[in-house]
Amino acid sequence: MGKRSKALGLLTAAVLTVGMAGCGSEGGSGGGSELDVGIVLPTKDEPRWVQDETRFQDALADSDYTTEILFSQGSSAKEKENVETLISKGMDVLIIAPHDGAAAGSAVEAAKDEGITVISYDRLITDTDSVDYYVTFDSVAVGEAQGQYLVDNAEGSGIPLYLYAGAASDNNAFLFFEGAWNVLQPKIADGTFVIANSSEAEALKDKSELSREELGSILGQVTTNWDPSEAKNKAETHLTSAGADMKGNVSILAPNDGTARSIADVFATDGAITDYTITGQDAEKASIQYIIDSKQSMTVFKDVRTLVEDAMGMAVDVLDGNTPETTATYDNGSMEVNAKQTDVIVVDQENVQSELVDSGYYEASEFEGLE
């Protein structure tokens, strides 16, 4: 069996394995000192990226390809250092989820100068032409799913709408918010929702399509920087300054699960909030428990097993001299990057069992109160 066919066969089987891989960061058994695939992830401090590490380790445990996974710990300087370390080890393909999409440009340019193929993973690296491919979930579709959930669960009119977003340094945060705005804006314009916490969004409420600058002006007010503590502080500030007309039954656009739990905890402790619907993203274990307990309304499930399989399949194609299959392009400000998109799934109390437990993504024993 050839190297590629063997690796893809192992990859498909291993990616579907749920069990934790070994503790080491290096996988594979072939190849001497030359490194086939270097992987750089943003931080070990968010469950999402630890989960990705595990899925990569599962996928590569029995592969013929040599790999190494490094974490940047929220530092663009560390990220650049990681890439330089992997370059020095002779890697052929770099898979990188940037901490800061624009700041990562100098790191990947150094890789590109060495003839290394660069695959931007989950987050798009912007303002450089040194990106070959992008593997991503459909980020606009994520935001649209979040917005649609709020619309579907809205009753009556004049519902206070609290908007929150990810980090302005992350291109995905713009795409998520753009998708949510696509769905929410008509319902803001017709009075179903009333924006509670952003004067910039209020000023733009009649515009169905926002420019990058306009999106940035809103994100500047409602960013959480993907930080649950910052999200908590913002939510507390917003509720403290909100009048009675902005309380009662409210809707909350939270960008991901970590921030959703923090924001939900704040809203749950305000006696003037009678009920809330809140979005999330990533299907983190803690948020699945929150959904079961009716503390969080939904999450957008992005099956990392599929994303890892797409990224590694693309890397294997490159290593074998083949052109990877792509399904879309993304404008990174400098070029149109060929991309492969992975679908997303909305999960709430109604389908948490079928989508996350029956599919083997999580074990039922990891949760309490799951029927």
Side-chain angles (χ1 to χ4, degrees), residues 143-201:
E144 288 175 341
Q146 291 174 329
Q148 192 62 51
Y149 196 89
L150 296 180
V151 169
D152 291 345
N153 287 274
E155 295 182 6
S157 61
I159 301 165
L161 173 64
Y162 289 82
L163 301 171
Y164 297 95
S169 62
D170 179 1
N171 187 64
N172 275 355
F174 283 81
L175 298 176
F176 297 144
F177 197 89
E178 176 189 338
W181 188 262
N182 289 345
V183 177
L184 292 172
Q185 186 274 331
K187 293 299 182 179
I188 296 168
D190 73 9
T192 300
F193 295 112
V194 179
I195 297 169
N197 66 328
S198 170
S199 58
E200 293 288 348

Side-chain angles (χ1 to χ4, degrees), residues 132-139 306-307 310-311 314 317 323-330 336-343:
D132 294 284
Y133 299 102
Y134 181 33
V135 177
T136 183
F137 295 103
D138 187 339
S139 298
T306 307
L307 196 68
D310 286 346
M314 189 173 276
D317 274 333
T323 301
E325 176 191 351
T326 56
T327 57
T329 60
Y330 280 73
E336 291 289 328
V337 183
N338 288 322
K340 184 166 186 181
Q341 292 180 323
T342 298
D343 292 335

Side-chain angles (χ1 to χ4, degrees), residues 289-362:
Q289 189 63 60
Y290 262 50
I291 289 171
I292 294 167
D293 296 339
S294 299
K295 294 179 180 179
Q296 183 174 325
S297 309
M298 63 85 81
T299 187
V300 179
F301 173 40
K302 305 186 302 185
D303 194 336
V304 174
R305 295 171 298 184
T306 307
L307 196 68
V308 166
E309 186 173 1
D310 286 346
M312 288 308 303
M314 189 173 276
V316 168
D317 274 333
V318 170
L319 290 168
D320 270 13
N322 299 319
T323 301
E325 176 191 351
T326 56
T327 57
T329 60
Y330 280 73
D331 183 355
N332 80 342
S334 182
M335 64 178 291
E336 291 289 328
V337 183
N338 288 322
K340 184 166 186 181
Q341 292 180 323
T342 298
D343 292 335
V344 298
I345 300 166
V346 170
V347 172
D348 61 9
Q349 279 187 345
E350 297 298 314
N351 66 344
V352 64
Q353 172 81 37
S354 61
E355 293 294 349
L356 294 176
V357 177
D358 294 348
S359 73
Y361 197 79
Y362 289 132

Side-chain angles (χ1 to χ4, degrees), residues 21 38 59 64 118 132 150 157 217 223 231 264 267 269 274 302 324 356 364:
D64 279 352
V118 176
D132 294 284
L150 296 180
S157 61
S217 70
T223 179
F267 276 75
T269 57
T274 55
K302 305 186 302 185
L356 294 176

Side-chain angles (χ1 to χ4, degrees), residues 97-300:
H99 161 63
D100 179 316
S106 61
V108 298
E109 284 159 11
K112 199 71 188 144
D113 287 345
E114 298 297 324
I116 295 163
T117 298
V118 176
I119 299 174
S120 195
Y121 178 80
D122 192 61
R123 297 174 175 177
L124 183 60
I125 298 169
T126 57
D127 303 323
T128 178
D129 59 5
S130 294
V131 182
D132 294 284
Y133 299 102
Y134 181 33
V135 177
T136 183
F137 295 103
D138 187 339
S139 298
V140 173
V142 170
E144 288 175 341
Q146 291 174 329
Q148 192 62 51
Y149 196 89
L150 296 180
V151 169
D152 291 345
N153 287 274
E155 295 182 6
S157 61
I159 301 165
L161 173 64
Y162 289 82
L163 301 171
Y164 297 95
S169 62
D170 179 1
N171 187 64
N172 275 355
F174 283 81
L175 298 176
F176 297 144
F177 197 89
E178 176 189 338
W181 188 262
N182 289 345
V183 177
L184 292 172
Q185 186 274 331
K187 293 299 182 179
I188 296 168
D190 73 9
T192 300
F193 295 112
V194 179
I195 297 169
N197 66 328
S198 170
S199 58
E200 293 288 348
E202 175 67 23
L204 294 164
K205 67 180 182 181
D206 293 322
K207 290 196 69 172
S208 59
E209 292 188 20
L210 301 180
S211 68
R212 178 83 175 195
E213 184 178 1
E214 289 168 335
L215 285 167
S217 70
I218 299 175
L219 263 65
Q221 283 191 322
V222 301
T223 179
T224 63
N225 282 313
W226 300 125
D227 182 347
S229 295
E230 188 166 335
K232 176 178 182 287
N233 293 337
K234 267 202 165 65
E236 288 173 342
T237 299
H238 293 153
L239 281 182
T240 299
S241 61
D245 59 333
M246 289 293 109
K247 296 193 176 183
N249 189 351
V250 305
S251 294
I252 308 163
L253 177 72
N256 73 342
D257 284 348
T259 58
R261 295 193 300 276
S262 289
I263 294 166
D265 288 346
V266 172
F267 276 75
T269 57
D270 189 311
I273 300 294
T274 55
D275 197 12
Y276 62 84
T277 302
I278 186 167
T279 63
Q281 174 185 182
D282 291 332
E284 289 181 4
K285 203 176 296 180
S287 275
I288 300 309
Q289 189 63 60
Y290 262 50
I291 289 171
I292 294 167
D293 296 339
S294 299
K295 294 179 180 179
Q296 183 174 325
S297 309
M298 63 85 81
T299 187
V300 179

